Amino acid sequence: MAKDMTLLWGSGSPPCWRIQIALEEKKLQGYNQKLLSFMKGEHKSKQVMDMNPRGQLPAFKHKDFILNDSYAACLYLENQFGGQGNKLVPECPAEQAMMYQRMFEGLSLIEKILHVVHYEWKVPEGERHDSAVKRNKEALTAEVKLWEGYLSKGPGPFLAGKTFSLADVAVYPSIAYLYRFQLSEDRYPKLAAYYNSLKERPSIKTSWPPTWLETPDETGKLKDI
């Protein structure tokens, strides 16, 4: 079943990782995949551009259906293979509502993370300002505090309650990204507990970014968040 799926991906990319986790949760192992290097510019290769004209990863295809947006791909996989593997959309209306809410709120989290972590890469040197750096860090700090609060007040160990759901599939890679860049576990204990509790989940452990295993981050860009 998974043999008619193809995933072109980059290590350490939260959008790529989301699809990998979803595929593992739905027991869709054995799909065609190719690890590409961002550093070498392989995300701009013809193979990628033929699937994703934006020149971005992931590039995902099932049969003749192309879904390059990671949220779209995850929702598609759950809808098409709902009876296979782990169910990722809760039946309880309250948990389902929270799942969708947290899932899409996750887009704000990763956006604010990237504004801080990749500021120097995205903004030309002559256009950088200390005030922008400060503003981005303040926005990310406020965002992280929101997620710490959600987990403190939440009804269960997962983002939408008592069961692992698409909210976790979508947001866990972003939370792991925070700790990749050394977010303080002491400052955000609930977030750290959530992060650590899922590191050994088979779908996450199996798909853990290989570059993260090979090279620990030493920049500490998020230490003061």
Side-chain angles (χ1 to χ4, degrees):
M1 191 179 296
K3 291 181 180 179
D4 54 6
M5 297 180 181
T6 298
L7 176 65
L8 307 179
W9 60 286
S11 179
S13 159
C16 295
W17 197 5
R18 289 174 194 138
I19 298 179
Q20 291 175 298
I21 294 172
L23 287 165
E24 291 291 328
E25 290 288 335
K26 302 311 295 181
K27 306 300 180 188
L28 291 167
Q29 295 91 349
Y31 55 91
N32 302 298
Q33 60 171 302
K34 187 174 183 180
L35 172 59
L36 301 174
S37 169
F38 291 110
M39 295 298 291
K40 295 178 181 177
E42 291 176 345
H43 56 298
K44 302 296 183 182
S45 66
K46 183 179 184 303
Q47 184 180 17
V48 175
M49 297 297 288
D50 286 346
M51 284 177 64
N52 189 347
R54 293 181 182 275
Q56 298 172 342
L57 297 176
F60 179 69
K61 184 176 182 180
H62 177 219
K63 298 180 180 178
D64 294 326
F65 313 133
I66 294 175
L67 299 105
N68 296 319
D69 181 273
S70 61
Y71 272 49
C74 290
L75 287 165
Y76 172 84
L77 290 170
E78 176 60 21
N79 285 328
Q80 292 299 309
F81 303 98
Q84 181 171 324
N86 295 317
K87 185 174 178 61
L88 297 174
V89 175
E91 292 188 5
C92 169
E95 287 194 11
Q96 190 177 124
M98 185 173 288
M99 182 211 77
Y100 283 117
Q101 179 63 32
R102 296 290 179 261
M103 182 179 180
F104 284 90
E105 274 190 273
L107 294 171
S108 294
L109 174 61
I110 191 60
E111 179 184 30
K112 291 180 173 68
I113 293 171
L114 296 180
H115 283 168
V116 173
V117 172
H118 294 313
Y119 181 78
E120 293 178 359
W121 176 66
K122 285 189 172 185
V123 181
E125 186 173 358
E127 298 176 18
R128 297 173 196 162
H129 300 283
D130 291 343
S131 59
V133 172
K134 182 174 181 290
R135 184 169 61 250
N136 290 340
K137 286 186 174 182
E138 289 173 347
L140 178 57
T141 298
E143 183 73 23
V144 173
K145 286 180 178 178
L146 270 179
W147 289 91
E148 176 74 8
Y150 292 156
L151 287 164
S152 298
K153 301 170 186 175
F158 302 104
L159 291 178
K162 297 177 182 178
T163 58
F164 186 89
S165 72
L166 279 178
D168 303 287
V169 172
V171 181
Y172 183 84
S174 301
I175 290 174
Y177 209 71
L178 287 169
Y179 288 102
R180 166 71 175 166
F181 290 95
Q182 300 181 27
L183 183 75
S184 170
E185 293 196 19
D186 292 336
R187 196 173 297 130
Y188 304 102
K190 294 296 184 182
L191 206 58
Y194 170 79
Y195 164 68
N196 288 314
S197 71
L198 288 179
K199 287 173 76 173
E200 296 299 316
R201 188 176 178 88
S203 63
I204 290 173
K205 186 175 181 179
T206 299
S207 59
W208 198 267
T211 51
W212 291 11
L213 294 172
E214 297 162 6
T215 310
D217 174 68
E218 297 179 352
T219 63
K221 287 187 176 182
L222 302 182
K223 274 185 174 180
D224 57 348
I225 294 299

